[in-house]
Amino acid sequence: VTIWCWLTDRLPFLPRHPGPITNLARKLKHIQKTDITALKTIHAALNNAAGETLYPETLGRLFELAPYLKPEQRSIEQFFLSSWQHFYGEGHALPDIAAIKEWIQRAAIAERLWH
């Protein structure tokens, strides 16, 4: 039971120094809709996980530098490209926050298992 609680972040005091994706999952826990602030927060966490600022042409580096995110690669790529288009393109629709939270939760578990 303790391991399940830790994996699903029900014991917020463990780990003492959570990774960027776990912190992101915590920040988004009570967010109900996607907005610019949420998108920027997600991009900042992905940049932090990669250890560098990510762009569409460098997104692959994220999965090299944070291999625990590889299972979520497709979801992350879809999010990244959709949000990038929203910021810099033709006003692409905002991604759905529920779908975002799903892959972030899975990625946070993978991050905790990795570290």
Side-chain angles (χ1 to χ4, degrees):
V1 171
T2 303
I3 291 174
W4 178 82
C5 288
W6 175 71
L7 283 175
T8 57
D9 203 29
R10 304 254 193 280
L11 301 173
F13 53 88
L14 293 174
R16 293 186 186 267
H17 303 289
I21 305 301
T22 298
N23 280 332
L24 174 61
R26 290 175 182 174
K27 288 177 186 174
L28 295 182
K29 191 175 270 189
H30 302 292
I31 301 295
Q32 299 301 316
K33 67 177 193 158
T34 310
D35 61 15
I36 298 299
T37 302
L39 294 181
K40 289 180 180 180
T41 300
I42 297 164
H43 277 270
L46 293 174
N47 291 342
N48 195 354
E52 62 185 51
T53 302
L54 297 167
Y55 300 95
E57 61 274 2
T58 63
L59 185 58
R61 296 265 306 138
L62 173 66
F63 307 106
E64 294 171 16
L65 298 167
Y68 58 89
L69 294 176
K70 190 85 169 139
E72 299 303 326
Q73 184 170 352
R74 184 173 181 197
S75 295
I76 292 170
E77 287 173 343
Q78 287 174 344
F79 162 79
F80 195 91
L81 295 175
S82 176
S83 61
W84 193 267
Q85 280 295 319
H86 183 77
F87 288 134
Y88 304 107
E90 301 169 7
H92 197 270
L94 290 169
D96 177 50
I97 194 67
I100 293 169
K101 285 181 176 183
E102 286 178 18
W103 66 257
I104 288 173
Q105 287 301 322
R106 292 188 305 264
I109 291 170
E111 179 182 65
R112 285 194 282 284
L113 287 171
W114 183 264
H115 294 291

